[in-house]
Amino acid sequence: MSISRRNLFAVSAGLASLAVLPGSPAALAAAPPAATPVPGVIRRKVGKIEVTALLDGYMEMPATLFKAPEEEAARLAREQFQPPSPRLSPVNAYLINLGDRLVLIDTGAADLFGPTLGKVSQALAAVGVKPEQIDAVLLTHMHPDHVGGAIDPHGKAVYSNAELIVSGADFRYWHDDGALGQAPAAFKPFFSGARAVAKAYQKRLTQFSDETEVFGELRTVPLPGHTPGHTGVMVRSGDDALFIWADIVHHAAFQFAHPEWGPAFDVDGNQAAASRKRAFDQAAYDRILLAGMHMPFPGFGHIASENGSYRFVAAEWPYAL
């Protein structure tokens, strides 16, 4: 017997009504809503390397921070099924398990930007990793939302056994008193924060320059502009690769449509835009899997280039873990 589309809808409506008959007993599985979110943790494999995305939380980055025209920013938000405000930006970190080493790429913000951040430690605990087990902390740059979690409120190293690996260009910039003197008042704390982190790890701090291999499977990729030493990380294992491009994107809804838009705290906005365009083109041409510290969690995906415009395509769930 065939069922027409109209009859099918009628049957469906009847079944739905049966589910809410008056006098039905209360559901045995009823439970109050959870008071706190579960830690943000997603794992996937890059060849033989295990990469775990860790959600530190989120911060507000309004369109005005990008000097974005209000109408265009609102249009882009609607296209992404998002409200025009507040504009929220996630903060991610990545744990790389090389087999013989655990490398943490960035540390999150701790409590520097309020209670919506500082969750990296909880995410690590959720995957059974203690801070003292981290062998190295590889920084993409020394902005507070990337280094804040490296020290505790007393300025002590959180990752007590870790080597701190940082771009020499970034290290020099944040220790330059001339740059500090020229910085707007709102950004001066960025300098003291970076210096405090460097001090806490000074006995086991390594600086790199340009493209550098780190522990064999990781290679730094210079992406200057956001900061002088802003750096991506290429993870390779066999035929697989992952390009962690750090802060190339702060708002996926805005910057794929307008790569020229950058946040007010770019040290060199023109250079940052050039690095963003170069990273977009490389990722699209190579069809490489990418991730970013401000991409929608867990941040894994690809970028498509079509007639000079760009589009982010979130990665499918990793079926083979």
Side-chain angles (χ1 to χ4, degrees):
M1 181 182 73
S2 63
I3 299 178
S4 70
R5 181 181 177 88
R6 179 176 297 176
N7 288 339
L8 179 61
F9 285 153
V11 171
S12 298
L15 290 175
S17 67
L18 288 176
V20 291
L21 284 174
S24 296
L28 298 178
T36 57
V38 297
V41 176
I42 294 289
R43 278 183 172 143
R44 68 181 305 131
K45 285 290 190 71
V46 178
K48 295 181 179 180
I49 296 174
E50 183 182 78
V51 179
T52 305
L54 309 168
L55 179 63
D56 192 54
Y58 65 88
M59 63 175 68
E60 286 194 22
M61 288 192 190
T64 53
L65 194 64
F66 296 78
K67 297 181 179 178
E70 186 176 348
E71 289 186 4
E72 175 65 356
R75 182 188 70 81
L76 292 172
R78 285 195 303 271
E79 283 188 354
Q80 297 293 321
F81 297 91
Q82 298 173 2
S85 65
R87 303 301 306 135
L88 304 179
S89 178
V91 177
N92 307 323
Y94 294 90
L95 179 67
I96 313 296
N97 188 341
L98 298 175
D100 59 345
R101 287 184 179 88
L102 286 175
V103 181
L104 181 62
I105 301 182
D106 289 352
T107 67
D111 60 354
L112 297 179
F113 294 98
T116 62
L117 289 161
K119 309 300 190 294
V120 161
S121 59
Q122 297 174 24
L124 285 172
V127 295
V129 174
K130 298 178 180 179
E132 59 268 24
Q133 291 178 277
I134 301 296
D135 297 291
V137 173
L138 174 55
L139 297 177
T140 62
H141 59 300
M142 300 188 81
H143 270 157
D145 53 318
H146 299 262
V147 304
I151 56 177
D152 66 17
H154 306 289
K156 302 294 185 182
V158 169
Y159 303 101
S160 54
N161 295 315
E163 174 187 9
L164 187 73
I165 306 173
V166 61
S167 157
D170 235 50
F171 182 90
R172 290 189 297 273
Y173 176 75
W174 297 110
H175 286 80
D176 183 345
D177 288 338
L180 170 60
Q182 296 175 14
F187 298 147
K188 290 187 187 297
F190 289 21
F191 287 80
S192 57
R195 294 180 186 193
V197 170
K199 181 179 180 181
Y201 292 84
Q202 61 185 336
K203 293 183 179 179
R204 50 187 188 280
L205 188 148
T206 300
Q207 299 180 43
F208 64 84
S209 61
D210 302 322
E211 292 191 13
T212 301
E213 285 195 358
V214 181
F215 308 129
E217 292 95 336
L218 310 180
R219 179 170 56 85
T220 62
V221 180
L223 299 168
H226 182 52
T227 68
H230 179 246
T231 298
V233 179
M234 190 71 72
V235 183
R236 289 194 181 276
S237 176
D239 294 331
D240 292 342
L242 168 69
F243 181 22
I244 301 176
W245 66 13
D247 280 16
I248 282 295
V249 166
H250 287 84
H251 264 311
F254 289 168
Q255 290 175 291
F256 286 107
H258 290 281
E260 73 278 9
W261 289 5
F265 46 86
D266 280 345
V267 174
D268 185 330
N270 290 333
Q271 189 179 43
S275 289
R276 181 160 39 255
K277 179 71 162 55
R278 187 170 66 253
F280 281 8
D281 288 339
Q282 176 186 348
Y285 181 82
D286 292 340
R287 298 180 63 85
I288 194 170
L289 181 68
L290 57 87
M293 277 54 186
H294 297 287
M295 299 291 289
F297 183 78
F300 299 117
H302 296 84
I303 183 169
S305 177
E306 300 169 348
N307 301 320
S309 62
Y310 302 96
R311 176 171 54 89
F312 177 64
V313 182
E316 291 281 357
W317 182 261
Y319 302 108
L321 294 176

